[in-house]
Amino acid sequence: MPLFGLNCGKKKQEEKERRLRANDREFNLKFKYATNAIKTSKYNVFTFLPLNLFEQFQRVANAYFVFLLILQLIPQVSSLSWFTTVVPLVLVLTVSAVKDATDDFYRHKSDNQVNNRTVQVLSKGQFTNEKWMNIQVGDIIKLENNNFVTADLLLLSSSEPNSLIYIETAELDGETNLKVKQSLTITGDLGENLQQLSQFDGEVVCEAPNNKLDAFTGTLTYQGEKYALDNGKILLRGCTLRNTEWCFGMVIFAGPDTKLMQNSGRTTLKRTSIDRLMNLLVLWIFVFLAAMCIILAIGNGIWESKQGYYFQVYLPWQQDVHNAAFSGFLMFWSYVIILNTVVPISLYVSVEIIRLGNSYYINWDRKMYYPKKDTPAEARTTTLNEELGQIKYIFSDKTGTLTQNIMTFNKCSINGNSYGEVFDYAGNRLEINEHTEKVDFSYNPLADPKFAFHDHRLVESVKIGDPSTQEFFRLLALCHTAMSEEKKPGELVYQAQSPDEGALVTAARNFGFVFRSRTPETITLVEMGETKVYELLAILDFNNERKRMSVIVRSPDGRLTLYCKGADTIVYELLDRSSEDLKEVTTEHLNEFAGDGLRTLVLAYKDLDKQYFADWRKRYHEASTSLEDREEKLGELYEEIETDLKLLGASAIEDKLQDGVPQTIETLTKANIKIWVLTGDKQETAENIGYSCNMLQDEMKEVFIIRGCSSAEVLEELRSARRKMNPESFSDNNDVNIQIKKGSKKTQVIPDDDVKGGDTYGIIINGHSLAYALEEKMEVELLRTACMCQAVICCRVTPLQKAQVVQLVKKYKKAVTLAIGDGANDVSMIKTAHIGVGISGQEGMQAVLSSDFSFAQFRYLQRLLLVHGRWSYIRMCRFLRYFFYKNFTFTLVHFWYGFFCGFSAQTVYDEWFITLYNLVYTSLPVLGMSLFDQDVDDRWSMEYPQLYDPGQRNRYFNIKEFVKCVIHGVYSSLILFFVPYGALYDTVRDDGKAISDYQSFALMAQTCLVLVVSAQIGLDTGYWTAVNQFFIWGSMAVYFAITFTMYSDGMYLIFTASFPFIGTARNTLNQPSIWLAIFLTTVLCVLPVIAYRFLRSQLKPTFSDKVQSKIREAKKRPPPPPHRAKIRRTSSRRSGYAFSHQQGYGDLIMSGRNFRPKIPFHQTGKFTPSDRSRNTNYY
């Protein structure tokens, strides 16, 4: 129905299935599908003002001040001028609105940049450049090499044989290895024929838009035939076309309907825990304010009924007031206006200024600046700084966040000799750095100039023709599924299915065994300058069970050889007895490599008998063409031939972590922050990185693997893990079980379970198992088990599952969460977490654009949290404690004065003092403390991560601390009222004239107040700067200067009605007795604080007190932090199979479907790794 005269329209019906037709916009427009335009901004020109005001008035205090303004416009109850509320309220709303508008402007800018990209669209028989935002469902578009995929497309045809294409999905799942897609044969025949493409009118019926990245179901009806569509024929927005000249696709899902955008999550308004607590406290203060006003209103009613009638000459009733009850009612609202300063609006102005200032500190921090990419840290929001000091859980992506996406051939073991370390002439091991001499590969014209190795013994072994060494690198050059191309003369380009396989092939290339080209039947190598063509007879492909791959080749001299590489635990079982001695030595080397966190593979070979192989090959052909149990029959044949292998050695690949990742994780763990890794990578890859970055450790009693394929299996695995960690957690008397039974589902907070015996555990969960574990009936079990583990790694997870894991912790744990990532696949969890951090410059900028904070390296996270976060939290807490104290002290003096002024709503202070108290006299000192204060400097903050603990526990500002502030304020207000009252009672000046008048009392009370709160800010300041000194002393000087000016004869003569306190300052403040009373008042207010803090630091010191004591003992120069040695795991564990392979890629190579017959290979050239283009932002 119409709302305010506007027809809001019907809610869009949920889409059950999608039906579309190629090249027919008229048909597709009937369904009103979304266009390809995306929108991440919150406002537009018309909605900004109403929406922004609506958001701001969600703050209870802002709504309260509007209510106060309305009261002040009523003459019968107004005790202060209306502008005293309007000016600060408008200021607060304007500052917040400008900040929100600026943030949204950058979102609009980002959206426009993406929406205005161009792509070639087929229209009226020819291709025209069209903006992304104008693309519609059913359009046919053309993509070229290295183009971003514009929308979710059905692949029609491509430049590659059999309409294959290669795509990189780093923005979707974090993996940089290339994936293969292939179109239907019927559409592949369209090629690049514009006439056929224009006449193509295939009709697609498929699933509705959803967030499942790995699944697609649909059918294509074309020329009366129906064809099945699956995920292998769909290109998703967010992918990049690689190694493919061109391809054509039909738009299936566009804009917000694409799977990437369906996974991106909603942008929500983030509020800090302190914001939420302040809203609660404001409500409490309202109750407290109402109680005070009721007491004073009742007092007024009683006083007016018994005494007020006789004082009508001095206190006449308002014109419409005819009885004491109505007078009390009006006085209630008058006192609401007078006492409203318990929640001053300047509080919110100050909070915004403090947050803005602390945000600039992050932007200006040179220690978080990354010079290699000229990337500073950036606080993209200014409302969440103090939340950085309260983080309990960190959810991190792996690829590009913990790692650099760079694989390097680091070490190897060949025939019992370990290579990769560098020694001096005395035999001492040297640390390898950028100044260490590199091996000279100039003897090899095909070497990759970017490849670096430092152990000269290995290249010498190759040069002298050591058979084992040469066979080792020959195996690496032959046993792989990489592709080689030479599109430019003299430039070899490898396209490997995984970056670690590419690193191994590149290592073989540099040491003289260059993989030059391949066909379905041959592999061409250049061995030490001599070209050799090997006949490729079979590829025994990798799968998750085999954890190895093998090739069978025939050398030019007729030698038949099987080369195998795989996980050590698997290959060791296939070795013959002659390798036992070498196996022991190689095992020692593997332990050392694993101790360095390297990813290892064992290499072995076997010479084959020609007659036996001929028979085996015949059976292999029969098995590969079998229609029943094909995989089982092939597996048996693989097992049969992969026996009695001879061990060659082992390779060690470093999945290069970003600088400082292990140390950062170690430091954050000491700060009691739990780190969970959520990655789209395979389990083996994620597990290796877990060990490399010191999350998983060999000292752990057990690392649980959750890999169940049903709800029942996953539940049993989770419970089994929890039972091992603490059998008592299943007891009915267990505190957590009691809490779960007691609490309601929506508001339940589940405490952590204890781990028996103090052992540590880790847990690794697969994506398909996680889907079951996140079901409502199992999510609590998942959370309890995971939170008992020191390290949690979730692998093969979708972007939406990342967000669901974060949401699960937010739902059941009273903890602040932080998500950090670098790709579009991390956007959803970044938006879901309390704090989102984007790593810039790895997989595009989409994560940065959706984040609250950004920087270039993971290691900067520890400084962001332990320094900036902790300081921001401490500063905000000290600010709030002091602010509430000084305003309660200021306001409650009015309450006590009400009992002495006939409850007439008369103010204690001069009206100008009330106006300037928060604006001038006390604003700068507290801002100075809130912007510059620190308990210890940044070096000590990093050296003692345990200092972070109070923020996690919310120790520095909570309801208990607020009650202390109220009690302190009540005590100080009593002193500030009754000591001056007693001091001036029946008092005379030195010349005998009386000064026991209202104006003298008001001046003395406000002078005492300014001095007391100035002394208190001095006690609260832990780090003194010239700015602090200037603000505190300057504020007191300004107070006296303004007071003497306003109370002067001149001001009275010019503005008689506005400045009635003529001569009060000079007549009162020249009396010694007054200053004695002021001194006594100040001492009585601050002495209990000094005594309490001294006794607490001596009898029950906090960890911060102990650290500060150490600093004082160290005098002016603190000791330098101890040198932190490189973290090295002494491990008996050997990394598993390192490849991020897809099963079946070997079959693709052997079939020849992915080969172009036309590409020539030049005789000379150099290899340049494929530089993956990373644009700044896309969806």
Side-chain angles (χ1 to χ4, degrees):
M1 61 178 290
L3 180 65
F4 300 116
L6 297 173
N7 194 340
C8 295
K10 294 181 180 179
K11 184 180 178 181
K12 184 180 178 181
Q13 292 184 351
E14 184 179 354
E15 194 174 339
K16 301 292 185 183
E17 68 174 15
R18 175 154 294 202
R19 184 180 297 272
L20 59 123
R21 189 179 296 160
N23 291 314
D24 193 343
R25 282 195 172 186
E26 185 177 349
F27 173 82
N28 298 326
L29 285 172
K30 294 190 299 184
F31 301 99
K32 299 181 179 178
Y33 296 137
T35 65
N36 204 42
I38 56 96
K39 177 178 175 292
T40 60
S41 55
K42 293 165 61 177
Y43 314 109
N44 59 38
V45 175
F46 301 104
T47 63
F48 174 73
L49 193 59
L51 280 181
N52 189 260
L53 288 176
F54 174 74
E55 286 182 358
Q56 293 206 54
F57 284 120
Q58 285 184 337
R59 280 181 173 170
V60 179
N62 285 346
Y64 166 67
F65 288 118
V66 171
F67 172 69
L68 273 183
L69 175 61
I70 295 171
L71 283 182
Q72 286 179 305
L73 296 175
I74 303 173
Q76 286 81 359
V77 298
S78 179
S79 49
L80 290 172
S81 301
W82 60 270
F83 59 81
T84 58
T85 299
V86 168
V87 173
L89 178 61
V90 170
L91 179 63
V92 170
L93 296 178
T94 302
V95 169
S96 297
V98 168
K99 179 179 66 65
D100 292 340
T102 303
D103 291 343
D104 209 57
F105 169 76
Y106 287 110
R107 294 192 196 100
H108 274 285
K109 190 176 180 181
S110 167
D111 291 346
N112 290 335
Q113 183 181 350
V114 174
N115 288 331
N116 288 314
R117 286 184 180 146
T118 59
V119 67
Q120 298 181 64
V121 182
L122 184 60
S123 176
K124 298 178 182 179
Q126 61 182 2
F127 280 100
T128 58
N129 285 328
E130 191 70 71
K131 292 180 179 179
W132 276 28
M133 62 182 176
N134 297 328
I135 301 301
Q136 295 188 15
V137 169
D139 288 353
I140 292 178
I141 64 176
K142 180 181 181 180
L143 298 176
E144 295 179 342
N145 194 34
N146 295 327
N147 280 174
F148 300 135
V149 178
T150 310
D152 289 356
L153 309 176
L154 169 64
L155 178 61
L156 297 178
S157 61
S158 81
S159 58
E160 303 303 297
N162 296 287
S163 291
L164 292 170
I165 67 163
Y166 302 93
I167 59 169
E168 182 184 283
T169 60
E171 281 282 355
L172 294 175
D173 55 20
E175 292 188 0
T176 54
N177 53 295
L178 300 184
K179 295 181 174 61
V180 180
K181 300 282 185 178
Q182 184 175 18
S183 74
L184 291 167
T185 304
I186 187 69
T187 62
D189 293 341
L190 299 174
E192 54 181 335
N193 187 307
L194 290 184
Q195 183 178 354
Q196 291 186 22
L197 287 168
S198 299
Q199 294 173 354
F200 177 68
D201 60 352
E203 188 169 322
V204 172
V205 178
C206 66
E207 62 190 18
N210 60 72
N211 52 40
K212 297 178 181 177
L213 294 174
D214 56 352
F216 180 86
T217 55
T219 60
L220 170 68
T221 303
Y222 180 54
Q223 296 179 346
E225 297 289 332
K226 185 177 286 189
Y227 304 90
L229 301 177
D230 57 26
N231 201 46
K233 299 170 180 61
I234 301 298
L235 310 184
L236 300 183
R237 181 171 182 154
C239 299
T240 307
L241 191 67
R242 299 290 191 202
N243 202 26
T244 306
E245 287 187 14
W246 52 260
C247 75
F248 295 95
M250 179 174 71
V251 178
I252 304 293
F253 301 122
D257 291 341
T258 57
K259 291 182 182 284
L260 177 62
M261 295 302 292
Q262 291 278 312
N263 272 283
S264 66
R266 294 179 59 189
T267 301
T268 57
L269 182 65
K270 294 184 177 181
R271 295 283 186 201
T272 67
S273 56
I274 285 183
D275 267 339
R276 293 189 291 272
L277 177 60
M278 281 171 58
N279 272 345
L280 176 64
L281 294 180
V282 166
L283 292 174
W284 283 29
I285 292 172
F286 289 162
V287 173
F288 182 63
L289 174 64
M292 288 194 297
C293 293
I294 289 171
I295 292 171
L296 293 170
I298 292 173
N300 178 265
I302 295 172
W303 192 85
E304 291 289 355
S305 64
K306 293 188 176 181
Q307 303 290 335
Y309 178 79
Y310 304 104
F311 285 84
Q312 297 242 3
V313 175
Y314 301 101
L315 293 173
W317 286 357
Q318 293 284 347
Q319 185 176 355
D320 297 328
V321 177
H322 304 294
N323 57 63
F326 190 61
S327 174
F329 173 77
L330 294 179
M331 285 304 158
F332 172 85
W333 298 110
S334 296
Y335 271 114
V336 166
I337 295 172
I338 289 177
L339 301 179
N340 81 82
T341 47
V342 286
V343 191
I345 196 167
S346 58
L347 169 67
Y348 291 94
V349 179
S350 302
V351 165
E352 293 297 332
I353 293 173
I354 293 165
R355 286 172 171 167
L356 184 64
N358 285 317
S359 297
Y360 278 118
Y361 290 153
I362 295 172
N363 298 345
W364 295 337
D365 192 342
R366 292 185 178 181
K367 294 181 180 178
M368 295 173 67
Y369 170 73
Y370 191 54
K372 289 184 180 179
K373 295 186 177 179
D374 189 27
T375 307
E378 181 182 6
R380 297 177 56 82
T381 180
T382 59
T383 58
L384 302 172
N385 303 69
E386 67 271 13
E387 199 99 306
L388 290 170
Q390 299 178 274
I391 303 299
K392 182 68 176 177
Y393 289 89
I394 292 176
F395 300 91
S396 174
D397 177 42
K398 181 195 76 69
T399 308
T401 303
L402 300 178
T403 64
Q404 300 182 33
N405 285 344
I406 299 173
M407 302 285 184
T408 58
F409 181 81
N410 197 292
K411 297 177 182 179
C412 63
S413 171
I414 304 175
N415 196 28
N417 298 311
S418 178
Y419 299 97
E421 299 283 4
V422 179
F423 301 89
D424 61 13
Y425 294 108
N428 299 314
R429 181 179 297 172
L430 299 176
E431 183 178 353
I432 296 175
N433 54 44
E434 57 186 10
H435 303 295
T436 305
E437 183 184 0
K438 297 178 182 178
V439 171
D440 182 11
F441 292 108
S442 59
Y443 72 92
N444 180 2
L446 295 175
D448 175 10
K450 295 181 181 179
F451 181 84
F453 200 77
H454 300 86
D455 190 346
H456 295 262
R457 296 176 300 141
L458 184 56
V459 73
E460 294 301 325
S461 180
V462 173
K463 286 180 178 179
I464 63 175
D466 178 70
S468 297
T469 306
Q470 293 201 350
E471 193 75 352
F472 180 91
F473 287 113
R474 185 177 293 115
L475 185 155
L476 293 181
L478 291 169
C479 188
H480 57 81
T481 57
M483 305 293 292
S484 175
E485 287 191 82
E486 193 174 0
K487 291 188 175 182
K488 295 181 180 179
E491 186 175 310
L492 276 175
V493 177
Y494 291 159
Q495 290 289 355
Q497 199 191 358
S498 61
D500 38 2
E501 186 170 71
L504 293 173
V505 178
T506 302
R509 167 189 177 178
N510 273 63
F511 284 100
F513 288 76
V514 183
F515 165 56
R516 192 66 183 271
S517 65
R518 81 184 316 145
T519 70
E521 298 84 20
T522 64
I523 297 177
T524 302
L525 302 187
V526 178
E527 297 184 1
M528 303 301 291
E530 181 183 352
T531 301
K532 293 185 178 181
V533 179
Y534 289 81
E535 185 180 353
L536 179 61
L537 303 173
I539 295 179
L540 282 57
D541 207 0
F542 161 87
N543 66 35
N544 286 323
E545 292 181 1
R546 285 169 43 76
K547 294 189 177 180
R548 64 187 184 275
M549 76 164 289
S550 301
V551 295
I552 300 175
V553 297
R554 180 182 283 117
S555 66
D557 58 7
R559 176 189 173 199
L560 271 177
T561 311
L562 179 147
Y563 292 106
C564 177
K565 64 181 180 185
D568 53 310
T569 53
I570 301 297
V571 176
Y572 272 2
E573 295 177 359
L574 310 176
L575 300 177
D576 66 1
R577 294 184 178 180
S578 65
S579 300
E580 285 298 321
D581 293 339
L582 179 58
K583 177 179 170 182
E584 291 183 11
V585 179
T586 304
T587 301
E588 292 180 8
H589 295 160
L590 283 170
N591 292 339
E592 293 179 10
F593 299 160
D596 289 332
L598 303 179
R599 301 165 65 169
T600 59
L601 287 176
V602 168
L603 281 60
Y605 75 102
K606 173 185 179 180
D607 290 321
L608 298 175
D609 177 73
K610 295 181 180 179
Q611 186 175 352
Y612 165 76
F613 176 71
D615 175 64
W616 181 90
R617 192 177 188 184
K618 181 180 179 182
R619 289 183 286 131
Y620 171 76
H621 178 72
E622 293 174 355
S624 62
T625 56
S626 173
L627 297 178
E628 296 181 0
D629 303 324
R630 180 186 302 174
E631 295 297 328
E632 288 78 3
K633 291 177 181 178
L634 287 173
E636 291 174 3
L637 285 170
Y638 292 168
E639 294 281 350
E640 176 189 324
I641 200 169
E642 290 174 327
T643 56
D644 298 327
L645 304 180
K646 293 182 179 179
L647 181 62
L648 273 174
S651 65
I653 293 290
E654 181 182 6
D655 186 357
K656 257 190 168 340
L657 294 172
Q658 288 191 13
D659 294 339
V661 166
Q663 292 83 358
T664 299
I665 290 177
E666 178 193 27
T667 302
L668 294 176
T669 302
K670 286 181 180 178
N672 199 28
I673 298 174
K674 295 185 178 181
I675 302 175
W676 294 19
V677 172
L678 312 176
T679 177
D681 269 357
K682 291 180 55 180
Q683 176 186 319
E684 293 87 350
T685 308
E687 189 174 353
N688 280 323
I689 293 300
Y691 279 95
S692 299
C693 65
N694 217 36
M695 278 186 63
L696 297 176
Q697 300 171 346
D698 289 291
E699 292 75 20
M700 289 180 172
K701 189 170 183 180
E702 187 171 351
V703 176
F704 303 107
I705 309 292
I706 309 298
R707 52 164 72 99
C709 296
S710 67
S711 295
E713 289 180 13
V714 173
L715 182 61
E716 179 55 36
E717 289 177 348
L718 290 171
R719 286 183 172 172
S720 174
R722 182 155 65 89
R723 191 175 289 110
K724 288 181 180 179
M725 290 186 283
N726 185 3
E728 296 177 1
S729 65
F730 289 88
S731 168
D732 291 337
N733 298 325
N734 181 267
D735 293 338
V736 181
N737 291 331
I738 294 172
Q739 180 73 18
I740 291 174
K741 292 176 182 177
K742 187 188 302 181
S744 66
K745 193 90 176 180
K746 291 183 180 178
T747 59
Q748 191 174 12
V749 174
I750 300 176
D752 289 340
D753 289 279
D754 295 324
V755 178
K756 186 179 179 182
D759 296 316
T760 57
Y761 298 85
I763 188 169
I764 299 173
I765 309 173
N766 268 320
H768 62 270
S769 303
L770 185 63
Y772 294 113
L774 287 170
E775 294 174 356
E776 188 174 358
K777 61 182 179 181
M778 291 176 58
E779 60 182 10
V780 173
E781 186 65 45
L782 168 65
L783 185 71
R784 291 184 66 179
T785 304
C787 288
M788 294 173 74
C789 298
Q790 180 176 304
V792 179
I793 298 176
C794 301
C795 48
R796 284 298 186 199
V797 294
T798 65
L800 186 64
Q801 283 179 325
K802 291 183 178 185
Q804 288 173 332
V805 172
V806 176
Q807 186 60 44
L808 177 64
V809 174
K810 287 178 65 179
K811 181 178 178 181
Y812 290 111
K813 293 291 181 182
K814 193 177 180 180
V816 181
T817 60
L818 179 146
I820 179 170
D822 72 319
N825 58 319
D826 304 313
V827 167
S828 189
M829 73 169 179
I830 284 174
K831 289 181 176 180
T832 304
H834 293 100
I835 301 285
V837 177
I839 301 287
S840 54
Q842 299 295 327
E843 295 177 11
M845 294 291 287
Q846 186 51 43
V848 170
L849 293 171
S850 302
S851 67
D852 305 305
F853 301 89
S854 68
F855 41 71
Q857 294 279 289
F858 181 84
R859 69 176 184 270
Y860 297 148
L861 182 61
Q862 61 179 327
R863 185 167 180 85
L864 181 71
L865 301 186
L866 302 185
V867 178
H868 292 287
R870 202 177 69 83
W871 281 352
S872 295
Y873 173 71
I874 290 174
R875 289 165 180 167
M876 185 60 71
C877 291
R878 289 183 176 178
F879 163 78
L880 291 173
R881 290 202 306 258
Y882 174 76
F883 208 95
F884 280 120
Y885 160 73
K886 78 180 181 68
N887 282 284
F888 269 101
T889 303
F890 168 76
T891 305
L892 289 174
V893 175
H894 288 297
F895 179 76
W896 309 125
Y897 183 60
F899 291 89
F900 294 83
C901 68
F903 306 98
S904 59
Q906 184 183 12
T907 59
V908 176
Y909 317 112
D910 171 23
E911 191 170 292
W912 284 103
F913 178 81
I914 295 173
T915 304
L916 298 175
Y917 176 72
N918 280 310
L919 190 63
V920 177
Y921 301 148
T922 61
S923 59
L924 290 180
V926 70
L927 281 178
M929 178 189 71
S930 306
L931 291 173
F932 302 108
D933 203 34
Q934 51 185 260
D935 53 350
V936 297
D937 63 24
D938 56 341
R939 292 180 64 188
W940 289 94
S941 295
M942 301 279 278
E943 187 65 28
Y944 291 96
Q946 298 87 345
L947 288 168
Y948 193 78
D949 181 72
Q952 295 173 321
R953 299 175 185 272
N954 205 17
R955 289 280 177 84
Y956 291 151
F957 188 74
N958 48 44
I959 293 176
K960 181 180 176 182
E961 292 297 323
F962 174 73
V963 171
K964 287 182 182 178
C965 292
V966 174
I967 295 172
H968 189 193
V970 170
Y971 166 77
S972 296
S973 67
L974 285 168
I975 299 296
L976 285 167
F977 176 77
F978 286 103
V979 171
Y981 178 81
L984 288 177
Y985 191 77
D986 288 339
T987 301
V988 294
R989 287 165 42 89
D990 293 342
D991 56 8
K993 295 180 181 179
I995 57 170
S996 57
D997 58 278
Y998 161 72
Q999 291 187 350
S1000 297
F1001 169 72
L1003 175 63
M1004 184 177 177
Q1006 62 197 37
T1007 303
C1008 290
L1009 175 64
V1010 169
L1011 295 179
V1012 165
V1013 297
S1014 298
Q1016 185 64 45
I1017 195 71
L1019 292 176
D1020 289 346
T1021 300
Y1023 182 72
W1024 285 92
T1025 65
V1027 176
N1028 294 87
Q1029 298 273 7
F1030 175 75
F1031 282 169
I1032 293 175
W1033 296 109
S1035 294
M1036 287 191 289
V1038 166
Y1039 163 73
F1040 285 109
I1042 290 177
T1043 299
F1044 276 96
T1045 301
M1046 288 196 306
Y1047 297 172
S1048 65
D1049 298 347
M1051 294 299 291
Y1052 176 75
L1053 292 173
I1054 299 171
F1055 306 102
T1056 305
S1058 300
F1059 299 98
F1061 280 47
I1062 180 173
T1064 305
R1066 64 173 182 268
N1067 291 333
T1068 305
L1069 295 180
N1070 63 358
Q1071 300 299 304
S1073 60
I1074 298 298
W1075 283 106
L1076 179 62
I1078 292 172
F1079 175 75
L1080 177 63
T1081 303
T1082 306
V1083 170
L1084 287 174
C1085 286
V1086 300
L1087 190 60
V1089 178
I1090 295 172
Y1092 170 76
R1093 294 183 181 179
F1094 174 77
L1095 292 174
R1096 187 193 63 184
S1097 64
Q1098 296 299 314
L1099 303 177
K1100 196 178 178 181
T1102 62
F1103 187 78
S1104 178
D1105 293 331
K1106 294 175 183 177
V1107 172
Q1108 290 182 57
S1109 177
K1110 286 186 178 181
I1111 296 174
R1112 285 193 294 269
E1113 290 172 7
K1115 297 182 180 179
K1116 293 183 179 180
R1117 297 185 64 183
H1123 175 69
R1124 205 176 262 153
K1126 180 182 178 182
I1127 294 176
R1128 181 185 179 92
R1129 294 186 305 108
T1130 54
S1131 165
S1132 59
R1133 177 191 177 280
R1134 296 179 295 280
S1135 304
Y1137 199 76
F1139 288 0
S1140 301
H1141 267 297
Q1142 288 176 293
Q1143 185 178 352
Y1145 204 72
D1147 293 338
L1148 187 65
I1149 290 176
M1150 295 294 291
S1151 70
R1153 286 179 293 149
N1154 61 333
F1155 287 94
R1156 288 192 206 152
K1158 58 186 179 182
I1159 298 177
F1161 283 83
H1162 298 270
Q1163 295 304 310
T1164 61
K1166 62 179 182 177
F1167 166 74
T1168 302
S1170 173
D1171 293 322
R1172 311 203 183 284
S1173 63
R1174 306 274 187 208
N1175 210 331
T1176 54
N1177 79 62
Y1178 61 84
Y1179 296 78

